[in-house]
């Protein structure tokens, strides 16, 4: 560990992994990439860690069914009665017309008209028929990674939470219903929106506007560091002054960690938490700097892993196993054992499932891709 922390900041993990794997200094980009892969992919996928569980909610939109609709078979234009008000917000929703077996995607065309896709199917024109316009797809939280095992969206029934389970595509399509109801009974993940957020489709569509809670495993963001320019700080001060025009403190964020490189690297680092960032050449530390100041000194500001401290060594050992696989290194078995010990220790405290159970996702069901 560093001189003054039990945590291991990102840069320290990089330096220690480089030293233990006996890598050249010019391959640090590769090492940073491997550590981030272990951090954002490998470690989170091993378990449904309790520290990664986040709660959120979806607000489902009520169906719209005022008035009637008229259309010609083979056409793409729907014309509504005068008491209907169509809005641009309806683009992307779906419509089910009474007496017609199909469900259509709709696009706003005017206050009393919509364009549908595909064209109106069947052999009969639609004349003053009732209908339902409904929203099927909703964006989940921007940091959504996956639902917990055997979980999904939830509703409250009699004061108790009841799961609206995630279904495989075949099962979802088999039971699909376009008739709006009070609560959906199934959901499925279906691609992403233009902002990259995961979309969930609920079915049957909601009859009324309702809010549904869901718990999920959040997606971790890659760690980073900045070293541009030089800094000055006085002994006992909390103010770090960067060289004007060269330091890029705003690349960092509150909660990152700062060190002066000349005072130690790797396990000899002395880190200070960043409390506030004023601009690119001024920031404030949470605690006073050490016994000696520094002038025009090289520095590092880097991320701290957003996982419990006791799991920080897993990033080191997991990365080392990837770095030395082609080196015939005799330490491979030792690092495997060290990684297993860290993960076992973590599971006793941070695992949300029964300890003996293994990770299972819907994609691992043999029926899912049948």
């Amino acid at each position: 560990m560093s001189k003054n922390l039990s945590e291991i900041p990102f840069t320290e993990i990089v330096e220690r992994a480089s030293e233990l794997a006996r890598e050249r200094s010019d391959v640090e980009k590769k090492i940073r990439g491997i550590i981030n892969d272990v951090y954002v992919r490998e470690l989170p996928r091993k378990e449904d860690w309790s520290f990664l569980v986040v709660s959120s909610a979806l607000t489902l939109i009520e169906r719209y069914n005022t008035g009637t609709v008229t259309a010609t078979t083979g056409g793409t234009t729907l014309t509504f009665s005068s008491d209907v008000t169509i809005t641009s917000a309806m683009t992307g929703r779906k419509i089910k017309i009474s007496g017609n077996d199909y469900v259509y995607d709709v696009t706003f065309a005017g206050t009393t008209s919509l364009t549908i896709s595909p064209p109106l199917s069947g052999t009969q024109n639609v004349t003053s028929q009732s209908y339902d316009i409904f929203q099927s797809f909703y964006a989940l939280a921007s940091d959504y990674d996956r639902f917990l095992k055997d979980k999904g969206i939830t509703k409250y029934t009699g004061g108790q939470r009841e799961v609206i389970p995630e279904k495989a595509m075949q099962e979802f399509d088999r039971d699909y219903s376009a008739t709006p109801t009070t609560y959906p009974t199934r959901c499925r993940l279906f691609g992403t929106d233009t902002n990259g957020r995961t979309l969930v489709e609920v079915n049957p569509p909601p009859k009324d506007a309702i809010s549904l809670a869901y718990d999920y495993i959040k997606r971790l963001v890659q760690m980073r560091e900045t070293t541009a320019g030089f800094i000055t700080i006085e002994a006992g001060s909390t103010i770090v002054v960067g060289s004007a025009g060269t330091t890029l403190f705003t690349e960092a964020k509150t909660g990152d960690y700062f060190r002066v490189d000349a005072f130690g690297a790797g396990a000899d680092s002395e880190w200070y938490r960043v409390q506030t960032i004023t601009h690119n050449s001024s920031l404030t530390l949470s605690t006073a700097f050490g016994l000696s100041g520094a002038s025009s000194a090289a520095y590092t500001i880097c991320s701290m892993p957003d996982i419990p401290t006791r799991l920080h060594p897993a990033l080191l050992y997991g990365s080392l196993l990837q770095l030395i696989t082609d080196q015939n290194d005799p330490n491979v078995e030792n690092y495997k054992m060290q990684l297993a010990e860290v993960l076992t220790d973590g599971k006793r405290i941070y695992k949300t499932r029964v300890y003996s159970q293994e990770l299972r996702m819907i994609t691992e069901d043999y029926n899912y891709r049948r």
Side-chain angles (χ1 to χ4, degrees):
M1 301 296 180
S2 61
K3 293 177 182 177
N4 60 330
L5 295 176
S6 57
E7 299 92 344
I8 314 179
F10 176 47
T11 299
E12 184 176 328
I13 298 173
V14 172
E15 292 168 345
R16 291 171 62 180
S18 178
E19 181 180 4
L20 290 170
R22 297 184 294 278
E23 293 282 6
R24 305 186 313 273
S25 60
D26 61 346
V27 297
E28 279 199 358
K29 287 183 180 179
K30 178 185 79 171
I31 298 172
R32 285 196 292 269
I34 288 174
I35 291 170
N36 267 321
D37 282 344
V38 173
Y39 175 59
V40 303
R41 296 182 180 87
E42 184 176 335
L43 183 61
R45 288 289 178 177
K46 289 186 180 298
E47 308 291 341
D48 277 3
W49 302 108
S50 61
F51 55 82
L52 293 179
V53 176
V54 180
S55 296
S56 189
L58 292 174
T59 299
L60 305 190
I61 299 170
E62 67 178 332
R63 57 105 177 257
Y64 186 82
N65 64 347
T66 300
T68 60
V69 63
T70 297
T72 303
T73 183
T76 60
T77 299
L78 302 182
T79 303
F80 294 85
S81 53
S82 59
D83 54 342
V84 176
T85 300
I86 300 299
T87 70
S88 59
M90 292 179 181
T91 294
R93 298 183 191 178
K94 295 181 180 294
I95 187 169
K96 174 66 174 68
I97 302 171
S98 297
N100 189 280
D101 292 333
Y102 296 84
V103 177
Y104 304 92
D105 295 320
V106 304
T107 302
F108 175 75
T111 56
T112 58
S113 64
L114 287 171
T115 299
I116 59 171
S117 177
L120 190 73
S121 301
T123 60
Q124 299 294 320
N125 293 336
V126 171
T127 303
S128 299
Q129 287 288 340
S130 60
Y131 65 93
D132 286 302
I133 297 174
F134 55 86
Q135 179 84 24
S136 290
F137 295 94
Y138 296 87
L140 297 172
S142 59
D143 61 349
Y144 170 89
D145 182 69
R146 66 182 186 274
F147 289 127
L148 280 70
K149 178 185 177 184
D150 298 328
K151 299 292 183 180
I153 303 169
T154 58
K155 62 182 179 181
Y156 282 93
T157 303
Q160 294 184 325
R161 292 183 71 172
E162 181 180 332
V163 174
I164 300 172
E166 179 189 0
K167 297 293 185 179
M169 183 179 295
Q170 294 88 344
E171 186 177 355
F172 187 93
D173 289 344
R174 182 193 66 203
D175 298 329
Y176 183 88
S177 171
T179 302
T181 58
T182 302
Y183 289 107
T185 58
R186 66 193 70 88
C187 69
R188 68 165 175 166
L189 300 181
F190 194 86
T192 58
D193 66 7
T194 55
N195 294 315
R197 296 181 299 176
T198 300
L199 292 173
V200 63
E201 182 179 10
V202 297
N203 187 258
K207 181 169 60 177
D208 303 304
I210 54 173
S211 291
L212 300 176
Y214 65 98
D215 297 328
Y216 65 97
I217 301 296
K218 72 177 182 178
R219 182 173 60 249
L220 293 172
V221 178
Q222 288 195 355
M223 296 180 286
R224 71 220 172 279
E225 65 180 20
T226 182
T227 59
F230 300 93
I231 61 89
T232 297
I233 184 170
E234 297 179 358
S237 175
T238 59
I239 305 300
V240 179
V241 178
S243 49
T246 56
T247 51
L248 300 171
F249 292 168
T250 55
E251 287 186 347
K253 66 177 184 179
T254 300
D256 285 352
Y257 278 74
F258 164 89
R259 79 173 183 200
V260 174
D261 297 342
F263 293 168
D268 289 330
S269 299
E270 188 170 311
W271 295 99
Y272 297 85
R273 187 177 186 276
V274 175
Q275 179 171 296
T276 58
I277 298 173
T278 306
H279 49 69
N280 264 335
S281 57
S282 178
L283 62 80
T284 304
L285 305 177
S286 296
T287 57
F289 196 66
L291 299 177
S292 299
S295 179
S296 298
Y299 72 98
T300 298
I301 302 174
C302 72
S303 306
M304 182 68 75
D306 188 19
I307 60 177
T309 303
R310 68 175 61 243
L311 285 174
H312 287 190
L315 301 179
L316 176 60
Y317 297 129
S319 302
L320 282 170
L321 286 173
Q322 294 193 31
L323 287 168
I324 65 176
T325 51
D326 61 347
Q327 297 180 5
N328 196 28
D329 194 310
N331 288 310
V332 167
E333 293 304 319
N334 176 53
Y335 293 145
K336 285 182 180 179
M337 182 181 68
Q338 296 284 358
L339 176 60
E341 288 181 355
V342 173
L343 293 177
T344 298
D345 188 35
K347 283 190 285 187
R348 292 193 182 102
I349 303 173
Y350 304 115
K351 190 174 178 182
T352 62
R353 299 193 176 104
V354 176
Y355 184 75
S356 62
Q357 289 182 317
E358 298 298 328
L359 173 66
R360 180 174 69 79
M361 297 175 64
I362 190 171
T363 51
E364 294 170 343
D365 188 326
Y366 81 96
N367 282 313
Y368 188 72
R369 297 188 182 279
R370 220 172 32 170

